[in-house]
Amino acid sequence: MLTDSIIDRAVRAALDEDCPWGDVTVETTIPADATGVARLVPRQPGVLSGGRVFVAAFRLQDPRLEVSLERPDGSAFEPGDVLATVRGPVRGILTAGRVALNFTQHMSGIATMTRAFVDAATAACAPGAAPRIVDTRKTLPGLRAFEKYAVTCGGGHNHRFGLSDAVMVKDNHLAALREAGLDTVAALRAIRGRIGHTTTIEVEVDSPEQIPLALDGGADIIMLDNFSLDDTRRGVELIAHRAVVEASGTMTLDRIPGVAATGVDVISVGALTHSVKAVDLGLDWE
């Protein structure tokens, strides 16, 4: 969850990094009493995310600055739209502007990419039947809350936030179990006995032959990792609603329609955070 305290902590760190001993440019060129107005304007279409972060950057730099958000997070925009307006001391606007833009451009890039994936999945399915598009843990260190929030602004959903949230037995875990001579089914059942009743167990499989073992072990979610479309359809049939079916592995926008049409419940997409391109936003002076 992207709380105000998380925002303030990250934005303060970014401002301190960018301006540790003052902004020598504005202090030597801009009169201390100069005031002005700047507007957040996109240069390309996209989906907005990071409005509160944008506000925080200016508020923490100079509390006298007033920021008005003209569009809510999650709204689509076109080039030339006014997304926010900043009024007050020019020095503060110029000093905080880059940090404010860095966060908002990155988060809006994630929201924009997510919306494209959600739209592609929706178009490939009957009304109400599209799988959820979810993120992964492939996030920038320290910015996970920001990036996962941005995914929701684009219409996506969040996978587990971190390692503490759920049991997720992946291929390396299964390989370690086999090397130790442990039975996969027995191991999964033992895990169930050690966790609380509200904690889910997800098991990653890389072939249809592994699905019965995951089901017998009591998996709540089965991840079909890098399956072909034919094997994905076969996996959905084998699982037969006995567990949530997640498809994962090198998901691209071109692949999404085909995967969505197989009947999976969830598609996880690492690219939403690890391969995103920032949206081009600018601060235009009035």
Side-chain angles (χ1 to χ4, degrees), residues 205-212 215 224 227-242 245 261-264:
V205 299
D206 53 26
S207 70
E209 290 70 33
Q210 293 176 315
I211 290 173
L215 288 170
L224 313 181
F227 275 35
S228 67
L229 290 180
D230 285 342
D231 280 349
T232 301
R233 282 188 284 269
R234 182 182 170 198
V236 170
E237 292 173 359
L238 284 171
I239 294 168
H241 305 291
R242 289 176 287 174
V245 185
T262 62
V264 297

Side-chain angles (χ1 to χ4, degrees), residues 3-285:
T3 63
D4 289 342
S5 62
I6 290 174
I7 291 173
D8 284 2
R9 183 165 60 247
V11 170
R12 284 186 191 278
L15 290 170
D16 288 344
E17 176 184 62
D18 203 31
C19 185
W21 303 289
D23 184 339
V24 294
T25 305
V26 302
E27 291 167 6
T28 56
T29 58
I30 307 297
D33 60 351
T35 61
V37 178
R39 304 189 190 282
L40 178 65
V41 179
R43 315 292 192 224
Q44 65 183 95
V47 176
L48 182 63
S49 180
R52 286 188 296 144
V53 188
F54 184 83
V55 172
F58 294 104
R59 171 176 53 81
L60 293 174
Q61 178 60 39
D62 188 336
R64 295 173 297 172
L65 290 170
E66 299 177 2
V67 184
S68 301
L69 296 176
E70 312 296 344
R71 298 284 185 88
D73 282 351
S75 59
F77 55 73
E78 296 294 331
D81 290 344
V82 176
L83 306 180
T85 303
V86 187
R87 294 181 174 84
V90 173
R91 286 186 175 185
I93 296 174
L94 291 172
T95 298
R98 185 70 265 159
V99 167
L101 285 173
N102 285 348
F103 276 106
T104 312
Q105 288 178 310
H106 179 60
M107 294 175 69
S108 295
I110 292 171
T112 301
M113 179 182 279
T114 302
R115 181 68 57 83
F117 274 79
V118 170
D119 288 347
T122 301
C125 300
R132 287 187 170 194
I133 300 297
V134 306
D135 51 32
T136 69
R137 287 171 45 246
K138 297 174 183 177
T139 57
L140 290 172
L143 293 181
R144 181 167 293 174
F146 294 81
E147 295 183 336
K148 282 183 170 286
Y149 169 77
V151 167
T152 67
C153 292
H157 296 265
N158 296 147
H159 208 295
R160 59 177 178 163
F161 189 86
L163 296 173
S164 303
D165 295 336
V167 173
M168 189 167 178
V169 183
K170 304 192 77 173
D171 54 353
N172 288 337
H173 299 101
L174 292 173
L177 286 172
R178 289 192 296 270
E179 220 170 275
L182 299 176
D183 175 76
T184 299
V185 174
L188 292 175
R189 290 177 179 174
I191 291 169
R192 176 66 69 193
R194 297 189 191 110
I195 59 176
H197 70 284
T198 62
T199 303
T200 57
I201 298 175
E202 178 165 3
V203 179
E204 177 187 81
V205 299
D206 53 26
S207 70
E209 290 70 33
Q210 293 176 315
I211 290 173
L213 296 177
L215 288 170
D216 289 347
D220 301 295
I221 307 161
I222 298 178
M223 177 194 288
L224 313 181
D225 187 48
N226 284 303
F227 275 35
S228 67
L229 290 180
D230 285 342
D231 280 349
T232 301
R233 282 188 284 269
R234 182 182 170 198
V236 170
E237 292 173 359
L238 284 171
I239 294 168
H241 305 291
R242 289 176 287 174
V244 173
V245 185
E246 176 181 339
S248 183
T250 321
M251 291 297 169
T252 64
L253 199 55
D254 289 339
R255 287 192 63 206
I256 287 297
V259 177
T262 62
V264 297
D265 302 299
V266 175
I267 303 175
S268 53
V269 185
L272 298 181
T273 52
H274 71 57
S275 297
V276 69
K277 182 178 180 181
V279 170
D280 190 2
L281 305 173
L283 274 178
D284 293 345
W285 289 91

